[in-house]
Amino acid sequence: MCIRDRARTDEDSAPHRIYLPERPFRIGQFLADIEAVYRRLGWAGVVVSEGLQGGNGLSGDPELRDDFGHAMPGDLAGRLAQLVSQKLAGGGVRCRSERPGVCGRASMVHVSPVDQRDAEQVGRAAVDLVVNGKTGVMETLQPVDQGGTGVIQLAEVANNERTMPDGMIDSSGSNVTGQFLEYARPLIGPPLADYVSVNNLCT
């Protein structure tokens, strides 16, 4: 499907594919997806989630476990980038992986006003809990349209895995639906700025 929103304006805009752990990950299909986009555009950008299921052990290092016994993610994006470089176009495609950087995530220039408001609310509420001697609980956020915070027992959320609802994942398993966009847009806040095209500047 072609998702028209402020960050991805048409089917040729990145990310071209989004791979989520809620769907089985198949390396052969992944490589075919990337090759199809690469042949059409001459480049491709994808998003992969740590914890992908399947894919010949790509979901993480089975020897590394967190306190709950979950496999710790390995350098999934790096391994996939290496695989793309080796397999596509006879090894003639250069591919690299990137992780969201600390500077980008911490930049006040790019902060979502919704995130900024929520962070302050949760921080204030958490301090109130500590001051009042309440332990074994955590602050929660109410839906965006309601605002405010709540409290929940840690026992109710510890090791309680949340997954992406099926209605937010498209039929290909490598993209999101309009339902996801409806959920995400209020969290982002005002529309994102349009990217400036160098081609448009030169015409």
Side-chain angles (χ1 to χ4, degrees):
M1 67 179 287
C2 176
I3 299 174
R4 297 187 178 276
D5 63 283
R6 299 289 280 178
R8 184 165 53 179
T9 55
D10 56 52
E11 62 183 0
D12 289 342
S13 299
H16 302 108
R17 296 288 187 274
I18 302 172
Y19 297 91
L20 303 164
E22 286 80 5
R23 294 291 183 270
F25 181 75
R26 298 179 177 85
I27 292 178
Q29 184 61 55
F30 168 78
L31 291 172
D33 290 346
I34 302 304
E35 184 166 19
V37 176
Y38 177 76
R39 288 188 180 281
R40 189 175 82 247
L41 302 176
W43 69 286
V46 303
V47 174
V48 296
S49 301
E50 294 284 6
L52 288 179
Q53 302 301 309
N56 298 326
L58 286 174
S59 57
D61 186 338
E63 300 301 320
L64 299 176
R65 301 280 172 174
D66 64 16
D67 292 339
F68 294 109
H70 302 145
M72 297 286 284
D75 183 20
L76 173 64
R79 283 181 281 172
L80 289 176
Q82 185 178 32
L83 194 62
V84 169
S85 294
Q86 292 171 348
K87 299 291 186 181
L88 260 61
V93 175
R94 186 176 66 175
C95 183
R96 68 180 186 184
S97 64
E98 297 287 348
R99 293 184 179 183
V102 173
C103 289
R105 285 178 284 155
S107 170
M108 287 302 295
V109 174
H110 302 98
V111 69
S112 157
V114 177
D115 277 348
Q116 188 174 18
R117 181 202 67 194
D118 289 348
E120 182 174 348
Q121 284 185 338
V122 170
R124 288 179 180 274
V127 169
D128 286 341
L129 288 178
V130 173
V131 169
N132 291 298
K134 294 183 179 180
T135 61
V137 298
M138 66 172 278
E139 284 294 331
T140 63
L141 281 167
Q142 301 301 322
V144 173
D145 58 345
Q146 297 177 19
T149 62
V151 177
I152 191 170
Q153 295 292 320
L154 283 179
E156 296 183 41
V157 294
N159 207 25
N160 184 6
E161 188 175 67
R162 296 183 63 185
T163 59
M164 179 88 91
D166 285 341
M168 293 187 179
I169 307 172
D170 84 347
S171 58
S172 73
S174 60
N175 215 328
V176 294
T177 65
Q179 183 180 335
F180 171 79
L181 296 180
E182 290 177 10
Y183 164 79
R185 281 193 180 109
L187 303 177
I188 297 170
L192 299 174
D194 286 326
Y195 287 101
V196 176
S197 169
V198 174
N199 291 333
N200 291 340
L201 293 177
C202 296
T203 57

